[in-house]
Amino acid sequence: MPRRILIVCKGNICRSPMAVAMLRRHGIEADIESAGLAAMVGSPIDPAAERTLLAHGISASDHIARQVNSAILDGADLVLAMEKRQVAALLALSPALRGKVFLLSRWSGDRDIADPYGRSQEKFDLAYTTIDEAILQWKSRLQRAS
């Protein structure tokens, strides 16, 4: 199992902090962090994302958005992104990531997880469901690899 997992999205205030909280809740034993390719640096989790998490008994109220950088990337054993273009951007930033950067949905349809930012609460709930399905698939794979 990877020791350090990095979750990446665009602004680091919706999908990636949700995913970090969800991975922890699912008992993934790793140092799990998040960052954004165009992060809203210093911002807390989006209130709608936090409402969705709270509805499932989870919180990311202590989250502070940060920008992805090479030091964060170099320290990760596994990097999971929300969209195909984010995977491409990460590989452009650091070609050495090849083989350790993947879509979060790699094992659950290999599709982009839509950004709910600025949209309805239902879109945040849908993002939660999609992220949860992807995490369950990764958890199964990671446990088998251990």
Side-chain angles (χ1 to χ4, degrees), residues 28-85:
I28 303 295
E29 294 185 21
D31 179 14
I32 307 164
E33 300 179 326
S34 68
L37 284 160
M40 298 176 73
V41 175
S43 296
I45 189 169
D46 184 281
E50 180 67 3
R51 279 192 298 276
T52 294
L53 289 175
L54 288 171
H56 295 275
I58 313 170
S59 177
S61 62
D62 60 346
H63 174 75
I64 306 283
R66 65 184 184 154
Q67 181 69 32
V68 74
N69 60 45
S70 53
I72 294 168
L73 291 170
D74 291 345
D77 300 312
L78 177 64
V79 180
L80 301 173
M82 299 292 162
E83 301 173 18
K84 293 176 183 95
R85 67 182 171 180

Side-chain angles (χ1 to χ4, degrees), residues 92-104:
L93 277 173
S94 177
L97 288 174
R98 193 161 307 281
K100 66 178 186 177
V101 62
F102 303 97
L103 271 179
L104 180 61

